[in-house]
């Protein structure tokens, strides 16, 4: 067991044992000795594509920690690096972000306009629609674990769907910390699709996990049940170790060590332990299914969610995020080492679903005194009530998932009431110092997607890219930069993302394959470019008129990987 290339530092010895067993005996490792020749345009397609999405892994975090990585992220940083990748659209949330990565489509085309949007015509009482649910299932609601997970809202095919259409023997497996990550990247045709849950792993209602996934899930559940001692803080993290008071009960963040009680699923998810569990499951499934060992190319999709939970719970610049970055790097390194041992020719792409922004209380300490939290009066319920009372209109008047983004006016209004309500709301919002802009659906509906580089986009370009006429709000609220849309910090939720600003849009885009010469391209590219780029690597034709991205040439020098 000590000889295993996988060092599962945080997982229980039971899971390590299961995965060591699963790692044994591919028969391929013994044949992996010859040196890999340089990848050229004549090199056959890789046997396995590994797509990794790290939730909330901003370009800023990548830049901050790049010099400190020694594991998997160091390897990827030695490959082809686009440090200014863009989740180009305005609604920089998890579901839209993941929907861009393997569809080549902006969220407006993919139909994934936000994590939650509203459909006031839906039959059920809860009009809020979770991006990855099927609201037509009886007895469901969008929150509280009462929804039926579903890919139904995704309007475009994923890379895996296109690979399966070309060759049904292609294997596609998607494993993530969050359901919406696994679903939006996995698409409709994945052979296996699952995510973490307090019970270990789970999938769609009524879909049984495979024996390997069941086994991994049981061991993950056992790991969750175990308490975890505090992690040691590396010397490199010492400068981050400053307590920031949170809430009014004497709590703080910034000096956490990721200790938890047995059974604390929330803290399990906010640690490298969760990412290690996803990676270990992905490796075990690859092994069990012999992915990368057939005649074609298989696709293994990995969604690593812990960085996002750490960012929301403790911000981006505390000891917690430093521990997470070091742990993520290590877990990815162990995962790649395990793939190396199989001898399979695999290619890796890594990006993020959106960036992130630190909590205002720490930003104010770190040379950004203007950082602030949103005014509670901007909450759509509060605003709608005030306007309805003033104009004598029925309530609820206004629906929104928070103080920014898509807002919907009640369907019961007469045209005249609607016009009056919208006018009053726009006047109030546009007079508020934390409001950058309010843009109506009419302003976006006739607008074309920008074809320019995403670092040059204006506000309307960004909002258009996440606008879908049937799903977006009647108007969209944009907060000014560095306003955190959480009115009060509380333990567990102090910082977030979702804005149109570049700290939430910019993400790294990294590509690596053994023998593929690395290069750095600092000009702006987009996450919608990843799908056509990978498709070209495996010789899969893509109709450029049906996507928003373009193929990125991964061969330095005069050769071109885009066919
Ligand atoms: Zn996210």
């Amino acid at each position: 067991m000590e000889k295993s290339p996988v060092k599962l530092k945080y997982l229980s010895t039971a899971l390590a044992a299961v995965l060591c067993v699963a790692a044994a005996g591919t028969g391929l490792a013994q044949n992996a000795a010859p040196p890999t020749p340089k990848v050229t345009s004549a090199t056959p397609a890789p046997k396995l594509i590994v797509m990794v999405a790290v939730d909330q892994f901003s370009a800023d975090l990548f830049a901050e920690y790049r010099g400190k990585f020694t594991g998997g992220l160091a390897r990827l940083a030695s490959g082809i690096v686009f440090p200014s990748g863009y989740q180009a659209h305005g609604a920089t949330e998890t579901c839209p972000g993941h929907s861009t990565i393997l569809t080549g489509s902006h969220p407006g085309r993919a139909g994934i306009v936000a994590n939650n949007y509203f459909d006031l015509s839906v039959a059920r009482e809860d009009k809020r629609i979770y991006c990855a649910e099927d609201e037509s299932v009886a007895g469901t609601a969008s929150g509280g674990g009462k929804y039926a997970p579903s890919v139904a809202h995704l309007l475009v095919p994923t890379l895996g769907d296109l690979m399966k259409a070309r060759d049904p023997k292609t294997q596609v497996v998607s494993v993530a910390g969050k359901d919406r990550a696994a679903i939006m990247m996995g698409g409709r045709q994945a052979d296996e699709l699952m995510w973490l849950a307090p019970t270990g792993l789970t999938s769609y209602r009524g879909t049984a996990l495979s024996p390997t996934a069941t086994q991994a899930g049981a061991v993950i559940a056992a790991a969750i049940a175990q308490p975890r001692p505090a992690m040691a803080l590396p010397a490199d993290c010492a400068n981050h170790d400053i307590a920031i008071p949170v809430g009014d009960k004497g709590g703080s963040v910034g000096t956490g060590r990721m200790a938890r009680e047995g059974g604390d699923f929330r803290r399990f998810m906010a640690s490298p332990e969760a990412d290690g569990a996803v990676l270990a499951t992905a490796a075990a499934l690859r092994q069990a299914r012999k992915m990368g060992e057939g005649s074609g190319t298989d696709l293994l999709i990995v969604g690593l969610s812990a960085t996002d939970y750490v960012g929301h719970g403790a911000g981006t610049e505390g000891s917690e995020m430093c521990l997470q970055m070091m742990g993520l790097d290590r877990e990815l390194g162990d995962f790649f080492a395990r793939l190396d041992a199989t001898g399979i020719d695999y290619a890796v792409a890594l990006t993020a679903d959106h960036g992130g922004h630190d909590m205002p209380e720490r930003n104010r300490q770190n040379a950004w005194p203007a950082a602030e939290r949103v005014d509670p009066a901007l909450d759509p319920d509060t605003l709608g009530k005030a306007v309805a009372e003033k104009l004598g209109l029925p309530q609820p008047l206004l629906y929104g998932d928070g103080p920014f983004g898509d807002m919907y006016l009640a369907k019961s209004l007469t045209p005249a009431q609607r016009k009056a309500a919208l006018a009053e709301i726009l006047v109030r919002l546009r007079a508020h110092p934390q409001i950058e802009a309010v843009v109506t659906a009419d302003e976006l509906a006739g607008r074309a997607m920008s074809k320019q580089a995403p670092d040059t986009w204006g506000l309307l370009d960004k909002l258009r890219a996440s606008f879908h006429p049937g799903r977006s709000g009647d108007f969209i609220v944009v907060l000014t930069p560095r306003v955190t849309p959480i009115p009060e910090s509380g333990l567990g939720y102090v910082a977030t993302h979702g804005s149109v600003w570049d700290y939430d849009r910019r993400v790294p885009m990294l590509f690596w394959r053994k023998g593929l010469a690395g290069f750095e391209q600092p000009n702006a590219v987009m996450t919608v470019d990843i799908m056509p780029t990978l498709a070209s690597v495996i010789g899969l034709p893509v109709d450029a008129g049906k996507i928003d991205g373009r193929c990125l040439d991964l061969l330095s020098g005069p050769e071109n990987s885009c066919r």
Side-chain angles (χ1 to χ4, degrees):
M1 216 45 74
E2 289 75 13
K3 299 281 187 195
S4 166
V6 185
K7 299 184 194 72
L8 295 162
K9 295 181 180 62
Y10 306 117
L11 295 178
S12 70
T13 50
L15 180 53
V18 166
L19 297 167
C20 286
V21 169
T26 61
L28 290 173
Q30 291 80 355
N31 301 327
T36 307
K38 190 170 183 286
V39 172
T40 69
S41 56
T43 306
K47 289 293 188 182
L48 179 68
I49 289 179
V50 180
M51 180 73 235
V52 182
V54 178
D55 203 313
Q56 205 186 128
F57 188 38
S58 64
D60 293 330
L61 277 178
F62 176 66
E64 179 176 353
Y65 287 96
R66 186 172 178 181
K68 294 183 164 67
F69 293 137
T70 58
L73 287 165
R75 181 194 299 216
L76 299 183
S78 74
I80 295 165
V81 176
F82 297 95
S84 285
Y86 275 77
Q87 289 279 4
H89 52 276
T92 52
E93 294 186 327
T94 295
C95 217
H98 281 101
S99 80
T100 69
I101 295 171
L102 286 178
T103 66
S105 298
H106 294 307
R109 185 191 294 268
I112 308 299
V113 299
N115 278 352
N116 296 295
Y117 60 94
F118 284 80
D119 181 354
L120 302 183
S121 66
V122 73
R124 74 178 186 195
E125 188 180 340
D126 181 11
K127 308 302 182 192
R128 188 189 316 257
I129 308 293
Y130 175 54
C131 60
E133 73 160 324
D134 181 354
E135 66 274 17
S136 70
V137 175
T140 58
S142 62
K146 291 182 182 156
Y147 59 85
S150 170
V151 71
H153 296 310
L154 184 64
L155 301 179
V156 293
T158 59
L159 177 65
D161 293 341
L162 297 178
M163 290 168 71
K164 296 283 273 191
R166 177 172 71 164
D167 177 5
K169 293 194 300 294
T170 298
Q171 298 196 71
V172 178
V173 168
S174 184
V175 190
K178 297 180 184 178
D179 56 9
R180 54 190 178 274
I183 291 169
M184 293 301 149
M185 294 193 293
R188 283 177 166 70
Q189 303 299 328
D191 296 280
E192 290 192 60
L193 193 150
M194 70 201 72
W195 53 90
L196 294 175
T199 52
L201 290 164
T202 191
S203 187
Y204 296 124
R205 288 183 181 183
T207 300
L209 296 176
S210 67
T212 302
T214 301
Q215 191 181 26
V219 180
I220 292 168
I224 294 168
Q226 294 292 316
R228 182 180 58 214
M231 294 168 61
L233 194 70
D236 275 350
C237 296
N239 286 347
H240 294 271
D241 200 35
I242 297 170
I244 310 290
V246 165
D248 54 7
K249 296 188 176 68
S252 69
V253 298
T255 59
R257 297 292 188 274
M258 295 181 171
R260 64 168 173 81
E261 304 288 320
D264 188 337
F265 181 65
R266 192 176 63 82
R267 287 182 185 271
F268 173 85
M269 291 299 285
S271 80
E273 200 175 17
D275 290 342
V278 168
L279 287 164
T281 301
L285 291 169
R286 189 223 61 77
Q287 169 64 28
R289 305 184 69 94
K290 300 189 184 305
M291 293 173 73
E293 300 178 37
S295 56
T297 302
D298 295 322
L299 175 61
L300 184 58
I301 300 162
V302 180
L304 303 178
S305 308
T307 302
D308 185 65
Y309 289 112
V310 173
H312 285 304
T316 62
E317 296 300 327
S319 62
E320 299 91 345
M321 186 60 84
C322 193
L323 285 167
Q324 170 59 21
M325 288 292 102
M326 299 295 112
L328 172 68
D329 178 46
R330 191 168 51 235
E331 295 292 345
L332 280 168
D334 292 347
F335 175 72
F336 295 147
R338 186 156 169 202
L339 285 179
D340 294 342
T342 66
I344 292 168
D345 178 12
Y346 66 98
V348 182
L350 183 144
T351 192
D353 58 337
H354 49 76
H357 187 238
D358 202 10
M359 58 195 295
E361 293 78 10
R362 189 188 284 113
N363 263 330
R364 288 199 289 265
Q365 293 190 5
N366 291 352
W368 200 274
E372 58 186 8
R373 292 189 179 275
V374 72
D375 179 355
L378 292 173
D379 178 78
D381 295 344
T382 308
L383 177 64
K385 186 166 183 289
V387 171
E389 283 172 356
K390 180 183 176 188
L391 300 181
L393 296 175
Q395 296 189 44
L397 175 68
L398 188 61
Y399 296 81
D401 197 40
F404 71 103
D406 293 290
M407 303 287 166
Y408 305 75
L409 288 165
K411 290 279 186 210
S412 59
L413 302 178
T414 67
Q417 287 175 326
R418 189 179 173 81
K419 191 176 173 190
L422 185 59
E424 176 69 18
I425 289 169
L426 292 184
V427 164
R428 289 184 181 221
L429 286 174
R430 286 173 174 158
H432 196 287
Q434 288 186 332
I435 297 296
E436 176 79 15
V438 184
V439 176
T440 65
D442 292 342
E443 293 176 75
L444 297 173
R447 194 179 177 86
M449 297 273 191
S450 174
K451 300 288 184 192
Q452 305 302 312
D455 54 339
T456 67
W457 285 18
L459 200 54
L460 293 179
D461 297 321
K462 300 175 191 179
L463 296 178
R464 172 62 187 90
S466 43
F467 176 81
H468 182 278
R471 295 180 182 174
S472 293
D474 295 311
F475 61 95
I476 299 167
V477 175
V478 180
L479 298 175
T480 50
R482 284 163 281 274
V483 172
T484 293
I486 305 169
E488 292 175 38
S489 72
L491 286 177
Y493 194 49
V494 302
T496 193
H497 51 83
S499 81
V500 302
W501 307 113
D502 276 4
Y503 47 78
D504 286 340
R505 294 173 77 221
R506 287 183 59 242
V507 294
M509 284 168 47
L510 313 175
F511 296 86
W512 180 92
R513 182 183 177 187
K514 194 173 182 183
L516 179 64
F519 65 82
E520 183 111 357
Q521 174 50 267
N523 287 314
V525 294
M526 299 192 282
T527 54
V528 293
D529 299 335
I530 293 172
M531 188 275 250
T533 299
L534 294 177
S536 191
V537 164
I538 60 172
L540 178 70
V542 173
D543 184 343
K546 291 184 175 174
I547 62 171
D548 297 305
R550 67 176 177 94
C551 176
L552 303 172
D553 172 15
L554 299 183
L555 292 173
S556 55
E559 286 202 304
N560 194 327
S561 65
C562 297
R563 310 162 199 230

